[in-house]
Amino acid sequence: MATENYSVIGKPLPKVDGIAKATGQTKYADDINLPRQLYCKLLRSPHAHAKILSIDTSKAEKFPGVRVVLTGHVMPTEFGIMPSSQDEHALSFEKVRYVGDPVAAVAAVDEETAERACELIEVKYEILPAIMTIEDAINKSEPRIHEKHGSGGNLSKIVALEFGEVEKGLQEADLVQEDTFFFQGNTHLPMEQHAALASYEPDGKLTLWSSTQTPHYVHRALAKVLQIPESRIRVIAPPTGGGFGGKDDPFSHEIAIAKLSMMTGRPVKITLTRDEVFYAHRGRHPVLMWVKTGFKRDGRITAMHFKSHLDGGAHGSYGVASTYYTGALQTVTCKVPAYKFEGVRVFTNKPPCGPKRGHGTPQPRFALEVHFDKVAEKLGIDPVDLRLRNLVDPDSLTVNWLRITSCGLRECIEKVADASEFKKKRGKLGYGKGVGFGVGSYICGAGLPIYWNDMPHSEVHIKVDRTGRVTAFSGTIDIGQGSNTVLATIVAEILGLMPDEIQLVTADTDLTPIDLGSYSSRVTLMMGNAAVEAATNMKKILCEAASMKLEVPVDRIELRDHKVFDKANPAKSMAFEEAARLAESKFGALAAVGSYTPPKKPGTYKGSGVGPSPAYSYSACVAQVDCDPETGDVKVEKIWLAHDIGQCINEMLVIGQVEGSVYMALGEVLMEEMEYRNRMGIHKIPSLLDYKSPTTKEMPPVETILIKNAESRGPFGAKEVGQGPLLPVIPAVVNAVYDALGVRIDEIPITPDKVLKALDLKAQGKEPRVGPTSIPKAPFPPALKVEPPEEWKSQLMSTL
Amino acid sequence: MLRLPPFEYYAPKSAAQAAKMLAEFGPEALLVAGGTDVYPKMKRYQFQPKALISLKQIKRLSGILGSNSKGFVLKSGTTLTEVASHSSLSKAYPGLAKAAGVVSTPILRNMGTIGGNLCLDTRCNYYDQTHHWRKSISWCMKAPGAKGVLFKPSATRDESIPCRVAPGGDRCWAVSSTDTAPVMVALGAQVVLVSAKGERVIPAKQLYCDDGIRYVTKRPDEILTEIHLPPADGIKTTYLKLRRRGSFDFPVLGVAVALKQAEDKTITDCKIVLGGIASYPVEFEQAEKMLIGQKPTLELIEHVAQTVFGPARPMDNTDYQIYYRKRMAPVYVKRALLELTS
Ligand SMILES: Cc1cc2nc3c(=O)[nH]c(=O)nc-3n(C[C@H](O)[C@H](O)[C@H](O)COP(=O)(O)OP(=O)(O)OC[C@H]3O[C@@H](n4cnc5c(N)ncnc54)[C@H](O)[C@@H]3O)c2cc1C
Ligand code: SF4
């Protein structure tokens, strides 16, 4: 169906919560206060790695204004986001694993008192050597950061998979290209610092308000650690001021305040400071990568071997998934007939890494797209044509068993190249100026839940009352991405109303049905499908009631513009409210439900759980840069970004997500770094001023091109846009720097000193490249051999 | 969020009254003007004064007087926004307006004052950190931190605690990070210092000293009330700033150049002052001498600029790699000289 036929879908209507946000009236977690509330502060470890010998809280307890001082001994149960990463204590009591690791919590009458009391807690540590680098973690199994978790030594996870015959493919290649890359870690930097408020009521029930992207998983962690039944816990996620993956895990501070509230019988509040947010982290993994790909002279890929080494920080977090993600989606943009992936994630004494926008895929995407740029040059093929020559087919299975449904990548590539005049500009803008190209693809929701179960991933309830008021209930949490608007728009479209007329009740585990959370770009597709089903069910009820009154067959009834009418004779109609009243008289209470469960994953091998998605979004990007060869400064002049959205639910939100992704990508490629003073094991600059993230002054104009090929599995054909558009931007900038200066920076961020170093090498007649030169020897197991899908076997014979 | 430690707050109505209070409190008191440096640092417990004496209520401490021919008087409480946008001042000394206009962000420039900017504390990546962070590295000479008491008051050097940047030495290398000081030094500005004991006027250059802890020669009981600028009289000025981003960031290199040329382009006077590379604004007299009496050519400028490379010795305690900052010094000096002479 074309967009014009919709009344609200795809229209650039304002966000339903936009005015409240723009005028500062949205109530975030930190804005909520309860009578008699106490304030909590956490005492954090000053050491990167140490045994805790003793904790003496007696002085702190006597400090006037302090109600309780809490240590970890009373909450010994371990938790973590994934079943495989139950390796965190709410408060550490055996050992600390990074500077900033929480060891005690104080509840006091105000924040100042709690902070001062923390200073009075005496912790005796036995300092252990800190493991601060990927190399160290691979080479040193002692001291172990986790005695009981991971894959032995300081390895958090190690995997090896092979699909098809990689060696054979490489032998058949005319060109085998081998590269190493490093992607530095960086963090989410949401404007809202994590805040939470816990209230344990006299009836033995606990309520937690928290700025989280995953109230359902927080709910589970609270029950596990506090050892109270889930039925006695309620988790509410107020509107969240930015997440980007940084609020996807259950956190120490949430559990600690819940326990403090149980101990004091008073509500307890905590708001992290900015440096604490840096310590909570769960951001982008630093990844050292190696890739070897075989190509035919005409540019077709014969085989690929990819290795990734992830610096996981002190905990598992989403790390197992992150590890697989660094190897999963390479095959979703280009046909790879044989593919081998080896991945290792290590523990280090730094704040834990986890998911950040693009979770585990921006790093390999950067590597791959720069790798291809080098190959294109060697083969004398335009980078755009190289991608087109290897383009995946819609409705196909990849060699690693991922089901591609709709694919607008060809249109993305062609349109973005046209709009930017890429082919005309490449190599011709003069020294210092250049253009670069890259593509990317991302999942529209993980096909599997985080803990194994067969139940729906998202459910929506809709209630209509006799005044015609419509309320939609959903567990989704709006972290700024606009899920509230998506929900309201879908329900409004189906019921013939306007989005701002739909009342929303969201992200409250007591009042709303399940949604797994705002992560993995799953919400529009999954909640959207559940909302379509619920609204369609409600529509049926209303149509049935109206059909009797209007004396028109039910399949001729339509809802639009507040009216319920006969499609064949629109004059025969009634107001929406009237239909609601008729329906309630006839059927009683008006309620409808919908749910969504993703299709079964096509692969069955161990590790096939990461990568499958109901659908994949596609993007292509051209970046134009102006580099100053004297200072090494890289200025991005313009970004063209084409994104295969399937269908916009709200076009303004889609463009907003594209621009936000571009902004975040530019920070990662040009300046952002989680830097540590390795000797001291401490984050170099945990502050908003010194952790450099771009300002509006660094933001170039962005030309967004939307490709709308409806996706059969998406609500109204929609796919994701929250994460995918970030992916191609990073390599596009890196490739543009090469076009401008003829130097390869195989390590991001591209800071000016690296550019100058590469130019120096060039001037000395050496290889003009800055980047890693080797990879450590990781103990990868023999690869698990996976048979490629049938269609690949026949294709292989025809192409090779 | 980070909370301010408790303190007493006084808002005298005149400079004399403020000077009297300062004398009474002694080193336990600290002046605050716009507070854009004082408050964030107090929140991080870099110092914890017993009393703050605010200059905000002193009306006569704000404003810009004078003219191109007579020279200007800047009252110390004038905001950076005013300094940056004052029409005759910015015509006479575009370099000063430029420096004031690139301090931090528009919002902070509306609060921050020129006096506060000249007296700005030196900065260091080991010092401008939260209490928890500094405790983790076991403190440093400039911020000795907790010893028995919860938090220590300001300006207490403890030489038994090493500097983290250069642990072997006996000094602090925190960096002069004010944007306007290099320009003031280059312009030969004079500053007026008032205390209960009287008033003294010293050249801006003499306001600073090569020590990250006692970075000004101004005594704690003195108030900087005015800055006197000589008549512009054909002086051309500019200021170039190296920083990661186009806003927010402190200078990690600031190049101020003031020069005069005769009719035939011969340089008759020249000052080159660099901020962000040491604990004080550094004047490069050798480079100046090489230019005076010469007609500027590209070769000469490049040659002169190169001479700042050796003496510019930044330490590893700000943003960017040190070698990069060092390497940028001649580039920025060259660009500033080219801007003024071409
Ligand atoms: C995020 C951020 C970015 C910043 N970026 C920059 C930058 O790029 N460049 C830059 O130069 N600065 C920067 N600053 C620092 C600061 O904002 C400015 O230097 C500002 O001009 C300070 O003026 P103020 O009036 O707020 O000083 P205050 O904070 O009030 O005082 C600063 C110091 O000066 C002393 N003082 C103030 N007035 C007087 C007086 N009349 N006599 C004697 N002593 C006095 C105070 O006691 C204190 O020691 C930044 C600050 C922040 C928070
Ligand atoms: S230079 Fe040394 S003494 Fe001075 S603030 Fe930095 S670490 Fe401390």
Side-chain angles (χ1 to χ4, degrees), chain A residues 111 630-631 677 683 693 698, chain B residues 3 133 246 324 334-335:
Chain A
E111 228 178 357
E630 214 174 14
T631 62
R677 294 203 179 274
H683 192 292
S693 191
E698 282 70 49
Chain B
R3 296 277 176 186
W133 195 99
Y324 178 72
K334 179 182 88 180
R335 289 183 178 188

Side-chain angles (χ1 to χ4, degrees), chain A residues 166-204:
Chain A
V166 170
E167 263 319 306
K168 195 162 152 266
L170 291 174
Q171 275 163 21
E172 282 162 9
D174 297 318
L175 170 74
V176 175
Q177 172 79 11
E178 199 179 311
D179 284 303
T180 48
F181 297 97
F182 180 65
F183 193 114
Q184 174 63 298
N186 51 55
T187 200
H188 319 82
L189 221 69
M191 289 315 296
E192 181 205 26
Q193 291 123 296
H194 308 49
L197 171 63
S199 180
Y200 189 70
E201 302 290 329
D203 59 4

Side-chain angles (χ1 to χ4, degrees), chain A residues 310-326:
Chain A
L310 295 80
D311 183 345
H315 288 291
S317 182
Y318 285 78
V320 170
S322 320
T323 309
Y324 281 110
Y325 271 128
T326 62

